[in-house]
Amino acid sequence: IEPDETPLDNDEVMFIVIHQIDELWFKLAIRELVRVRNLFAQEKVREQSLSDAVRGIRRTALLFDQVAHH
């Protein structure tokens, strides 16, 4: 801490940390949804892609569940 800086209260630090964690959860969710979108954007969707898409959507749901519990 610099001499003229006011130290952060523990509650402020906790708020910052939780906010950053939530941002990371959302970034992961976006990555999953983009991957699913890209699977279906192909001219021919392979049957295997369907299970990959379902897995990505389930992971996204779990990520949103994590965010909701914060």
Side-chain angles (χ1 to χ4, degrees):
I1 298 177
E2 296 297 319
D4 52 333
E5 280 188 47
T6 305
L8 293 175
D9 180 284
N10 281 347
D11 288 339
E12 292 173 306
V13 173
M14 182 179 286
F15 174 82
I16 292 167
V17 168
I18 289 172
H19 179 74
Q20 289 177 343
I21 290 169
D22 286 346
E23 281 187 40
L24 292 171
W25 287 128
F26 280 115
K27 284 183 180 186
L28 283 170
I30 289 169
R31 287 177 60 91
E32 289 292 344
L33 292 174
V34 166
R35 186 169 174 266
V36 170
R37 180 201 63 194
N38 292 344
L39 287 172
F40 287 114
Q42 299 173 22
E43 190 171 320
K44 290 187 177 185
V45 178
R46 297 179 312 123
E47 189 174 333
Q48 178 64 34
S49 295
L50 296 176
S51 64
D52 292 341
V54 169
R55 189 176 8 226
I57 292 169
R58 284 184 179 155
R59 275 195 291 242
T60 301
L62 287 172
L63 293 169
F64 284 133
D65 193 42
Q66 290 293 322
V67 172
H69 282 102
H70 274 178

